[in-house]
């Protein structure tokens, strides 16, 4: 089966043009985040000459990397048409047996292709599943169609409520807000969609931003509590590359003991106030080095 990769955006986003997809890889170093003038000088210094020395460390053994297939998941008797995967799974122990399991969302490839042929959003109708990490046997699937997810979006997993079991959070198939599940696949909560948030290929991350012991859920420039309450919305837009959706994350870039939220070209303090934004570049995806 050949799958056509495409994107469908809400009607209010149409008319923005389908120009080149810009992916801004922003390298943020301690004390240098969003410092555009310093970044330009550093870039000139790197480009002005070749490296004087070459650093090479060889391993004290002969490399031998020959992976062997242990098991593979090719489908399920539960909603068997949903057997395609185009997102990055998470590895986490969902059944608390001490062995990491694999959680991922699946989609119907025929529905995906037909939807885009008809001008509809094919990135929908995703079914969340979990399989055993040791055998690949299915642990559970979210069968209720009311709890479908975006099959292309990434998911996040962690113990967000302190009960000792992990929860799994993702993007609803509407692309608005977030949806979370218990470790056994049971529905936990879904947020009310905010007026301007939308994610197609983005994803969530988890962090305790202010160190109070409670986990926050990060979705671009939006931060939710561990019960789904919207805590704050950053001022520099949802972020993410054009027509994709954001992937924000938390890191203490200024070493003050509080985590900042990095969302593409923008950095927010733990309370949502803008620390800095490099508006000379488009929104995109970020990394810290």
């Amino acid at each position: 089966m050949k799958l056509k990769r495409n994107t469908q955006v809400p009607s209010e986003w149409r008319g923005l043009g389908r120009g080149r997809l810009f992916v801004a890889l922003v390298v943020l170093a301690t004390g240098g985040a969003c410092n555009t003038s310093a970044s330009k000088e550093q870039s000139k210094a790197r480009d002005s000459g070749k490296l004087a020395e070459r650093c090479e460390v060889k391993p004290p053994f002969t490399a031998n990397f020959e992976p062997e297939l242990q098991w593979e998941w090719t489908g399920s008797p539960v909603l068997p048409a949903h057997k395609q995967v185009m997102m990055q799974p998470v590895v986490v122990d969902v059944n608390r047996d001490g062995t990491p399991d694999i959680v991922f969302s699946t989609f119907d490839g025929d529905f995906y292709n037909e939807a885009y042929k008809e001008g509809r959003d094919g990135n929908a109708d995703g079914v969340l599943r979990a399989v055993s990490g040791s055998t690949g046997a299915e642990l559970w699937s979210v069968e209720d169609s009311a709890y479908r997810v975006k099959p292309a979006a990434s998911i996040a997993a962690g113990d967000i409520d302190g009960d000792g079991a992990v929860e799994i959070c993702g993007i609803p198939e509407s692309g608005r807000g977030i949806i979370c599940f218990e470790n056994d696949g049971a529905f936990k909560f879904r947020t009310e969609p905010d007026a301007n948030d939308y994610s197609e290929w983005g994803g969530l991350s988890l962090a305790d931003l202010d160190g109070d012991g409670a986990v926050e859920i990060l979705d671009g420039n939006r931060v939710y509590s561990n019960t789904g309450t919207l805590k704050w919305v950053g001022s520099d837009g949802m972020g993410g590359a054009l027509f994709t959706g954001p992937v924000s994350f938390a890191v203490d870039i200024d070493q003050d003991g509080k985590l900042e939220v990095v969302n593409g070209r923008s950095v927010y303090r733990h309370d949502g106030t803008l620390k800095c934004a490099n508006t000379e570049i488009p929104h995109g995806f970020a990394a810290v080095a």
Side-chain angles (χ1 to χ4, degrees), residues 6-60:
N6 204 336
T7 55
Q8 186 80 10
V9 298
S11 59
E12 61 266 29
W13 283 32
R14 293 170 188 163
L16 295 179
R18 292 184 177 272
R20 180 180 177 184
L21 178 65
F22 290 98
V23 179
L25 296 177
V26 185
V27 179
L28 303 173
T30 301
C34 302
N35 189 338
T36 57
S37 60
S39 299
K40 290 178 180 178
E41 292 302 319
Q42 292 169 0
S43 178
K44 289 180 180 179
R46 286 194 299 268
D47 295 339
S48 61
K50 297 181 179 179
L51 291 175
E53 298 179 358
R54 179 181 178 185
C55 179
E56 182 178 5
V57 178
K58 295 183 178 181

Side-chain angles (χ1 to χ4, degrees), residues 114-130:
E114 288 301 318
Y116 281 119
K117 287 179 181 178
E118 297 172 1
R120 297 181 290 112
D121 184 8
N123 185 18
D125 197 35
V127 174
L128 192 67
R129 302 184 190 268

Side-chain angles (χ1 to χ4, degrees), residues 55-136:
C55 179
E56 182 178 5
V57 178
K58 295 183 178 181
F61 55 85
T62 302
N64 182 25
F65 182 66
E66 297 180 0
E68 295 181 0
L69 180 65
Q70 181 174 341
W71 56 262
E72 60 181 344
W73 185 89
T74 58
S76 169
V78 179
L79 299 170
H82 292 72
K83 60 182 179 181
Q84 305 291 341
V85 180
M86 59 176 168
M87 49 79 70
Q88 179 174 302
V90 297
V91 178
V92 64
D93 184 4
V94 296
N95 58 3
R96 307 174 73 176
D97 66 352
T99 300
D101 305 303
I102 302 174
V103 186
F104 54 99
S105 56
T106 61
F107 67 102
D108 180 343
D110 291 333
F111 166 82
Y112 182 88
N113 287 332
E114 288 301 318
Y116 281 119
K117 287 179 181 178
E118 297 172 1
R120 297 181 290 112
D121 184 8
N123 185 18
D125 197 35
V127 174
L128 192 67
R129 302 184 190 268
V131 299
S132 167
S134 58
T135 67

Side-chain angles (χ1 to χ4, degrees), residues 125-161:
D125 197 35
V127 174
L128 192 67
R129 302 184 190 268
V131 299
S132 167
S134 58
T135 67
E138 186 163 322
L139 299 176
W140 49 259
S141 295
V142 179
E143 300 181 50
D144 194 330
S145 61
Y147 305 135
R148 294 288 192 260
V149 297
K150 280 284 185 190
S154 299
I155 58 178
D159 183 4
I160 65 174
D161 57 11

Side-chain angles (χ1 to χ4, degrees), residues 205-207 209 218 248-252 259-262:
S205 59
L206 308 176
L209 296 180
L218 283 56
S248 58
F249 59 93
V251 62
D252 185 3
L259 296 178
E260 284 76 40
V261 174
V262 181

